[in-house]
Amino acid sequence: MNSVYDQTVEYILDNQEKMYRLAYSYVQNKENALDVVQNAICTALEKCDSIRNPEALRTWIYRVVVNEALQLLRKGKREISWDPGTMPEDTYWEAPVEEVQEVYAQVQKLPPPIKTIIVLRFYEELSLKEIAQVTGLNINTVKSRLYRGLADLGKAISA
């Protein structure tokens, strides 16, 4: 049977692109996103033996990536240089359209707790239960923040 470390390595290798996309959605800069992923991988490999339930590996790694991204943002190391018209090729969409870019730009303007839930739900396709595990929130809190975020997005886009 595989050890937790082996499972962690396998998961990281299979999902490094998703980890990058999640990090990029926070820091909006290729180099900083790569730093976040690198730090998250190091943290995950160092602390994977502390995982009580190996079946929760996916949500645990997402939490590590989110925490690393938030830590980088708190330290003020990010550059605000994102232009919706110049999306990097290796992010979410193969052929970005104006509407998709507008929605993405509006998601970026949401408060961090709501933005986290929207990104994990729609860009990373996590279930509400998985989002609750990643964020450490009650599932009802996740739901209410999701609905509030969707309502805010709807107002912002229709305005």
Side-chain angles (χ1 to χ4, degrees), residues 55-68:
E55 293 176 10
L57 181 65
R58 174 182 181 210
T59 56
W60 181 77
I61 288 180
Y62 272 108
R63 176 179 255 179
V64 171
V65 173
V66 167
N67 287 342
E68 288 291 334

Side-chain angles (χ1 to χ4, degrees), residues 7 16 20 35 45 61 67 70 83 103 119 127 144 154:
Q7 290 174 357
Q16 55 192 327
Y20 170 78
D35 287 344
L45 293 175
I61 288 180
N67 287 342
L70 292 174
D83 174 11
V103 170
V119 168
S127 69
S144 68

